[in-house]
Amino acid sequence: MANLRSLLSFLLLALVGAVQAISANGGNRLLVILEDIADKDGYTKFLGDLEGRGFDIVYETPKSESLSLFHLGERSYDHVLLFPTKAKGLGPNLTPSVILQFINADGNILLALSGSTPVPSSLVSALLELDIHLPADRQGLVVDHFNYDTTSASEKHDVLLLPTPGPLRPDYKDFFALSGSDESGVIAFPNGLGQTLGQGALLSPILRAPSTSYSYNPKDESEAIEDLFATGSQLSLVSALQARNSARVTVVGSADMLSDKWFDASVKKVGEKSSVKTLNREFAKAVAGWTFGEIGVLRVNWIEHHLNEAGQSNASNPKIYRIKNDVTYSISLSEYSWDKYIPFTVPENDELQLEFSMLSPFHRLKLNPIISSEDSTTYSVSFKLPDQHGIFNFLVNYKRPFFNNVFEKNTVSVRHFAHDEWPRSFVISGAWPWIAGIAATVTGWLGFCALWLYSAPPATGESKKKQ
């Protein structure tokens, strides 16, 4: 019976580990919200890929009475995927405060919009809180008269064709590299709504619009469009936000680019004679994978700091050091990529740094990779502690777009020299004249005392008469 219980416990732990392996920073519970449950038939490939990667999907509509992001104060789902709806509001269960509360509770949200469907006011308000701005009338269409699909958008020019990362489009190269895809091609962005981003450090554009594109209200039937929402690179077609708690929010301006119609569709660029296949499926996988924590998640395996001076204790992570000690700091990092952890490699033109700080950094040093294994990389640096005693921190504060935040702080005390740790005077060459002066004084004094003690006093007159 005991062996059976042990076996069941082992299988349960293995099952839990397998579930958690789907998403490194969350579970596998995914809520998909559509205008009508039947609308999911238009996204069978995209949703099928999510199910194939192990997500447990629940489908709801905004009007559903059972829809609730929380139950007894806890998240009912780990991730939310929201497709365009025609409703002006999303009801009491999807108010801006509830959406923000879900993000603050480490929930991830993938929001798909449309250029032909007005955005619900609750979503507009929630995005404003995140410093993501939509057109004032909650509706807008991005067009480009130089980068469009001549087959399906020969008149409206509302199907943008965007090249994959390369010399012409380096703006989302770092994001695309996370997915591990190196295919070259085009991404179709049909019937999309653009956004403008604020100056917040938490925001990052995944896909920007070409310089020749602009956004306008399709209801404006005038021949000359005067009131444009934004133009060129001001427009972000796919935007990402990573909160301080590493929760992720992605806004995809075109829900159609996730549909079956545009997965592997044949498109033709302006001036091209042959058609090419779109890479929407690979791009959608990368966007969903990043949002739901399947890529770009860093893990700290262990941290160690110790003395590296000969003849002294080299215990790991001591609580107290002495000024001018030579120390070594090491940190092991792994990166979650789809279904496993791999060694984390710092991107080009970037550094992983260590700060040794009190109120401000006394040292800011580059951590260099020294050891790499199958699932981790160890970064390390050696340095001399400053000539200042007090309470210090070993601090690694790595915050970069498309990676979750790494903030590791280890507090230690740095004491001054003890009375028996100062160097002896004879070791210091500058003290030799003073030592010689002291030695000469002592020697002269002892010589004077010896002469005084062993010298007989002179004879007086009375002693001579007695003789």
Side-chain angles (χ1 to χ4, degrees), residues 196-209:
T196 59
L197 307 181
Q199 300 299 320
L202 305 178
L203 292 168
S204 300
I206 294 179
L207 190 62
R208 286 192 182 275

Side-chain angles (χ1 to χ4, degrees), residues 77 108 191 292:
Y77 304 95
N108 304 314
N191 190 28
F292 301 149

Side-chain angles (χ1 to χ4, degrees), residues 48-116:
D49 290 344
L50 291 174
E51 289 181 349
R53 299 204 300 269
F55 285 96
D56 183 12
I57 302 179
V58 176
Y59 298 94
E60 295 284 359
T61 64
K63 300 179 181 179
S64 175
E65 296 181 357
S66 62
L67 174 62
S68 178
L69 299 185
F70 293 91
H71 179 67
L72 300 178
E74 298 292 334
R75 285 188 289 109
S76 301
Y77 304 95
D78 303 304
H79 320 283
V80 172
L81 171 57
L82 205 155
F83 285 101
T85 62
K86 298 179 181 179
K88 185 176 181 180
L90 296 179
N93 295 320
L94 289 174
T95 61
S97 60
V98 173
I99 294 175
L100 295 177
Q101 182 183 356
F102 184 78
I103 297 173
N104 292 332
D106 300 334
N108 304 314
I109 298 177
L110 176 57
L111 176 61
L113 306 178
S114 175
S116 58

Side-chain angles (χ1 to χ4, degrees), residues 53 209 426 451:
R53 299 204 300 269
F426 55 82
L451 291 175

Side-chain angles (χ1 to χ4, degrees), residues 165-187:
L168 298 178
R169 292 302 303 266
D171 47 349
Y172 58 111
K173 179 179 179 181
D174 293 338
F175 174 82
F176 220 71
L178 291 176
S179 65
S181 175
D182 56 356
E183 296 186 49
S184 60
V186 296
I187 300 172

Side-chain angles (χ1 to χ4, degrees), residues 1 6 24 80 85 137 154 163 167 193 251 297-298 326 370 462 465:
M1 181 63 69
S6 301
V80 172
T85 62
D137 48 10
S154 58
L193 173 65
V251 180
V297 179
L298 302 182
D326 291 322
I370 57 171
E462 296 180 356
K465 290 179 180 179

